[in-house]
Amino acid sequence: MVSRTNRRGSVTGARAGSPRRRLPMRLLLPLLVLVALVAMLMLRGYVHSEILADHRIQPEAATDQVPEKILDGGPVIDTRDGRTTSLRVPDHRLVLTFDDGPDPVWTPKVLDVLKKHHAHAVFFVTGTMTSQYPELVKRMVDEGHEVGLHTFNHPDLSYQSHRRIDWELSTNQLAITGAAGIRTSLFRPPYSSFANAMDDKSWPVTEYIGTRGYITVVDNIDSEDWKKPGVDEIVRRATPHGGKGAIVLMHDSGGDRHQTVRALDTFLPKLQRQGYTFDNLTEALGAPSASTEVTGPDLWKGKAWIFLVSASDGITGVLVVCLAVIGVLVISRFVLMLLLSGAHARRVRRKSFSWGPPVTEPVSVLVPAYNEAKCIENTVRSLMASEHPVEVLVIDDGSSDGTARIVEGMGLPNVRVVRQLNAGKPAALNRGMANARHDLIVMMDGDTVFEPSTVRELVQPFGDPRVGAVAGNAKVGNRDTLIGAWQHIEYVMGFNLDRRMYDLMRCMPTIPGAVGAFRRSALERVGGMSDDTLAEDTDITMALHRDGWRVVYAEKARAWTEAPESVQQLWSQRYRWSYGTMQAIWKHRHAVLERGPSGRFGRVGLPLVSLFMVLAPLLAPLIDVFLLYGVVFGPTQKTIVAWLGVLALQAVCAAYAFRLDRERMTHLISLPLQQILYRQLMYVVLLQSWITALTGGRLRWQKLRRSGGVAAPPTAPGEGTPVMGGSTAR
């Protein structure tokens, strides 16, 4: 899949002495993806009036500052270049105006009726709707209608600053330019009415609009079609008296407009028979067209805007689908874990349950070690306290801190040190297997301690000759820190519940490196430990499944491991795990097409592992993205309730997992904080792993710094807390 390097090799990067370090592509791409995603969501929220929307409506105010000739004048108000004039529509001419569109359902129907009766109209479109349905605005212009601005988000401009008014006009204009390639000088304020309704709050806005080069168009006949009074009533209210000209207000958006469409089909021929013509505003006034063609950079800016809005809607639509997918995956995984882990616990805890004849033969325990001076003595002494006969092989993989000398200085029986030049963990394990004397092989990490019963419990499943490998119960020893507590929850809930579930489904993906056991014959048949991936434990487990061996989980085989104590160490560890798992899935991908046990694992195990361990964590950030979006931009209450529901489901699973593992529930107090902070880190790690895989990047093994704080296991099974410090328990 990608090239690999020695796990303890030097960092590949900028040349020595280089004055600048470029941001690695695997970090740059996630950052760019995040920025682009946020930008698309913000754009989508703005276009759909979820951001910056202002639904306040100004109450009526005094009119003493409004010129009398405006209050008594016509519906067309021109305040450009310091003018204060108004115009009326000539007799027997009607200008139909439609507000709030375009609407994908009703605007085409309105246009069809206008075309049928050879009538023109003016459409005062909002930027939000124009951005979403640009093809309808283009159709309006192509069919000879005029378009005007109706702001972008439809706010009452009397509440807005000049800067906000400019923004509403410019973005509305930008959308029209992108849709139809024109610029218009017509404007209708939201919530406007007749000219005599102009007051001291709206008049300053009208004056300012004129300074920006726009003519304000109100109306002098309101059909009140938005009230849905019935077709006949709409026709009656829209009909002028005495052959006078008028600007008629109607709507082609904002709800069900079937009455408007039907009324229009009656109104047009009726008034045409009475000698009325239905013109654009400039046609009715005998004025030059209000529209001018846009070319050059301004046109491309408009087209770019329409493209970005379309992209944001498309991306958001995909994200919503992905959110539904992750919702199904998360709930399915939780349900499967609850049902199958419970069934697994009931099965193995029955008094009559047995793997087969008791396994009493000696075991070889392999401990690969690289610079484990702080931990290795505790590890070896815990093995010496084992209730099962063991030989211990510590494979020193080129340590520089005296790890091998510490073990040799202990002078313990049945403990051997095998030295090799630094070659990596898989090579160390293969070297240990070659030197092992027994047919059952237990593998553990150099920072792990076993309980006295661990080895015995770990090898009992080999009483079943079909079992080729056994996964033990890895537990976090240093759980007294916040990061340690979060990892403790993750180990108990995420890993051990998963192992119970995968055990019953016969597709367990990973034997943990901290505590696992193998038949030598099974390992030899699949070629031993491989360094093809950075997750040799997952790789070997999948290989055993494909070879027909059963891989099971031994819940009582507890091992206490030292989890990373810093964010940087945690990042390094999980980055390697995530990337290595992807490598292993890719390496064994051909199993999907094979027959027999390999095919079963390929068609059952690999999809489950891919869905639950790769795809689900990759998509899971959408839950938090939409949570944040919903909290900030609404609907806030529903969003919080939905998120709390997911958290409650996780809490139920966590509590059940802790009960199965006989852990104290007090650690779950930090679960909500874990979901908010710790989970975000895991998201970024997985995304970075994906980027590394897609870009063919290199990833070296990471040696985590250990403190040696996990000294010995608890003396009583189920006690649930390791002994910390330098003393040992026997």
Side-chain angles (χ1 to χ4, degrees):
M1 183 176 179
V2 297
S3 59
R4 60 183 183 276
T5 61
N6 189 330
R7 70 164 170 167
R8 286 115 192 183
S10 61
V11 178
T12 302
R15 295 178 179 272
S18 175
R20 295 169 56 189
R21 292 188 61 187
R22 294 182 178 179
L23 189 66
M25 184 63 68
R26 64 178 182 272
L27 295 178
L28 179 61
L29 283 180
L31 181 61
L32 293 177
V33 168
L34 178 61
V35 171
L37 178 61
V38 171
M40 288 293 101
L41 285 175
M42 294 300 100
L43 177 58
R44 194 261 180 197
Y46 177 59
V47 169
H48 288 262
S49 298
E50 295 169 353
I51 301 175
L52 298 181
D54 188 344
H55 303 291
R56 295 175 297 172
I57 302 176
Q58 190 76 253
E60 293 184 6
T63 61
D64 54 284
Q65 297 179 18
V66 184
E68 288 293 333
K69 57 183 176 180
I70 296 297
L71 294 173
D72 297 333
V76 181
I77 304 171
D78 188 357
T79 58
R80 296 175 298 174
D81 300 324
R83 290 191 292 262
T84 306
T85 60
S86 65
L87 300 171
R88 298 181 186 273
V89 176
D91 292 347
H92 290 95
R93 287 178 178 252
L94 289 182
V95 179
L96 293 179
T97 61
F98 297 89
D99 284 7
D100 301 339
D103 181 274
V105 175
W106 302 111
T107 300
K109 297 181 185 296
V110 169
L111 289 170
D112 289 342
V113 175
L114 292 172
K115 186 176 182 180
K116 173 183 175 182
H117 297 289
H118 308 287
H120 287 159
V122 182
F123 290 84
F124 289 98
V125 297
T126 64
T128 59
M129 302 301 284
T130 300
S131 300
Q132 296 174 67
Y133 310 106
E135 68 284 352
L136 293 177
V137 177
K138 187 176 188 307
R139 179 183 170 184
M140 294 171 189
V141 175
D142 290 344
E143 294 183 359
H145 306 289
E146 283 184 329
V147 296
L149 304 182
H150 200 44
T151 72
F152 194 89
N153 275 318
H154 204 272
D156 187 334
L157 295 184
S158 62
Y159 277 110
Q160 312 305 323
S161 66
H162 285 177
R163 183 176 180 181
R164 173 66 184 271
I165 294 173
D166 288 342
W167 176 260
E168 290 286 336
L169 296 175
S170 61
T171 49
N172 195 177
Q173 194 74 259
L174 182 67
I176 292 175
T177 298
I182 65 166
R183 177 182 178 85
T184 180
S185 60
L186 302 181
F187 171 76
R188 171 170 284 170
Y191 310 108
S192 62
S193 182
F194 305 149
N196 60 11
M198 195 75 65
D199 59 29
D200 294 349
K201 295 292 186 179
S202 56
W203 174 244
V205 174
T206 303
E207 289 184 299
Y208 182 74
I209 292 296
T211 67
R212 315 314 289 171
Y214 294 99
I215 297 173
T216 298
V217 182
V218 289
D219 62 271
N220 51 356
I221 291 182
D222 187 354
S223 69
E224 297 186 352
D225 61 337
W226 57 275
K227 293 182 178 180
K228 302 177 186 176
V231 172
D232 293 340
E233 184 64 16
I234 293 175
V235 171
R236 187 189 69 79
R237 293 176 180 178
T239 302
H241 300 290
K244 292 184 177 181
I247 294 179
V248 181
L249 172 62
M250 290 185 169
H251 297 80
D252 63 326
S253 185
D256 184 353
R257 296 292 175 237
H258 80 277
Q259 289 187 7
T260 302
V261 175
R262 290 175 56 198
L264 199 59
D265 203 20
T266 301
F267 179 68
L268 287 171
K270 177 182 177 181
L271 271 291
Q272 284 172 338
R273 287 193 296 269
Q274 296 178 16
Y276 280 92
T277 59
F278 292 89
D279 301 317
N280 290 334
L281 179 62
T282 53
E283 290 173 343
L285 297 176
S289 174
S291 301
T292 55
E293 185 179 358
V294 179
T295 59
D298 289 340
L299 176 62
W300 288 109
K301 287 178 184 178
K303 290 185 178 297
W305 171 266
I306 296 298
F307 172 78
L308 289 174
V309 170
S310 176
S312 70
D313 277 340
I315 290 173
T316 304
V318 171
L319 293 179
V320 170
V321 172
C322 291
L323 182 64
V325 170
I326 185 58
V328 171
L329 287 178
V330 168
I331 294 175
S332 299
R333 178 170 174 260
F334 283 160
V335 170
L336 283 175
M337 284 196 305
L338 288 173
L339 294 178
L340 297 185
S341 61
H344 179 274
R346 289 191 296 272
R347 180 172 69 89
V348 300
R349 292 177 182 181
R350 289 199 308 263
K351 292 183 178 180
S352 59
F353 175 79
S354 173
W355 292 104
V359 176
T360 58
E361 61 185 278
V363 173
S364 295
V365 181
L366 309 184
V367 186
Y370 173 74
N371 289 344
E372 302 286 3
K374 293 182 178 180
C375 309
I376 195 65
E377 182 174 353
N378 293 332
T379 298
V380 173
R381 289 196 183 279
S382 74
L383 292 172
M384 290 296 95
S386 176
E387 298 170 356
H388 195 92
V390 298
E391 70 154 348
V392 178
L393 282 82
V394 177
I395 305 94
D396 185 87
D397 189 35
S399 297
S400 59
D401 66 346
T403 297
R405 291 194 303 273
I406 292 173
V407 177
E408 290 170 339
M410 295 171 69
L412 297 174
N414 295 325
V415 176
R416 288 185 286 152
V417 175
V418 178
R419 298 173 183 261
Q420 69 175 30
L421 296 177
N422 177 242
K425 187 177 181 180
L429 290 171
N430 286 331
R431 182 75 176 272
M433 188 170 62
N435 285 271
R437 296 173 180 150
H438 306 300
D439 291 330
L440 296 182
I441 307 292
V442 169
M443 298 180 184
M444 67 182 299
D445 291 334
D447 62 343
T448 303
V449 293
F450 278 6
E451 296 179 8
S453 62
T454 298
V455 175
R456 172 173 54 80
E457 295 290 349
L458 193 60
V459 299
Q460 293 312 304
F462 291 121
D464 183 345
R466 298 171 298 173
V467 174
V470 183
N473 188 347
K475 290 186 170 293
V476 174
N478 53 329
R479 60 182 73 169
D480 54 333
T481 65
L482 186 59
I483 293 180
W486 288 344
Q487 291 178 87
H488 173 49
I489 295 174
E490 181 185 28
Y491 272 60
V492 175
M493 177 186 172
F495 298 158
N496 290 337
L497 275 188
D498 272 347
R499 290 193 181 104
R500 296 177 191 274
M501 174 182 72
Y502 287 127
D503 186 343
L504 285 189
M505 300 179 77
R506 296 175 58 189
C507 58
M508 189 182 305
T510 304
I511 299 293
V515 52
F518 303 84
R519 290 187 192 273
R520 181 196 291 270
S521 58
L523 289 173
E524 291 173 345
R525 278 175 51 171
V526 298
M529 307 300 291
S530 170
D531 63 354
D532 289 340
T533 74
L534 295 178
E536 79 290 333
D537 44 7
T538 300
D539 187 2
I540 190 66
T541 307
M542 291 183 175
L544 292 173
H545 279 298
R546 296 182 67 186
D547 196 43
W549 293 98
R550 282 192 63 192
V551 179
V552 299
Y553 174 59
E555 64 174 354
K556 295 181 180 179
R558 290 181 288 268
W560 300 88
T561 185
E562 183 175 343
E565 293 186 335
S566 71
V567 173
Q568 179 59 47
Q569 293 179 38
L570 180 63
W571 181 292
S572 299
Q573 182 195 68
R574 300 312 169 87
Y575 186 21
R576 177 176 63 81
W577 285 5
S578 299
Y579 188 50
T581 299
M582 294 179 193
Q583 288 180 302
I585 292 172
W586 181 256
K587 175 180 177 180
H588 296 280
R589 65 190 184 280
H590 297 299
V592 176
L593 303 176
E594 295 173 348
R595 297 181 178 180
S598 182
R600 182 192 181 279
F601 176 74
R603 289 183 287 276
V604 177
L606 279 183
L608 285 175
V609 173
S610 300
L611 287 174
F612 292 152
M613 297 182 66
V614 178
L615 183 62
L618 182 68
L619 297 180
L622 292 177
I623 296 176
D624 299 292
V625 169
F626 279 96
L627 165 68
L628 181 61
Y629 188 89
V631 167
V632 176
F633 303 116
T636 303
Q637 185 175 357
K638 292 182 179 179
T639 301
I640 294 176
V641 169
W643 186 80
L644 289 177
V646 174
L647 180 62
L649 185 58
Q650 291 175 316
V652 169
C653 285
Y656 185 62
F658 270 57
R659 181 175 177 273
L660 285 181
D661 265 24
R662 299 184 175 90
E663 292 283 352
R664 292 199 299 267
M665 297 291 180
T666 53
H667 290 286
L668 292 179
I669 294 175
S670 64
L671 179 63
L673 195 59
Q674 184 212 39
Q675 296 302 303
I676 295 173
L677 299 179
Y678 180 80
R679 194 171 64 183
Q680 315 310 316
L681 176 64
M682 296 301 100
Y683 292 160
V684 178
V685 169
L686 186 64
L687 181 59
Q688 186 181 3
S689 301
W690 269 89
I691 297 298
T692 303
L694 293 175
T695 58
R698 288 187 163 197
L699 181 63
R700 66 185 180 92
W701 278 92
Q702 304 289 335
K703 174 67 179 79
L704 302 181
R705 294 186 298 274
R706 303 298 187 184
S707 65
V710 182
T715 56
E719 186 175 321
T721 304
V723 176
M724 307 297 292
S727 62
T728 59
R730 296 182 180 272

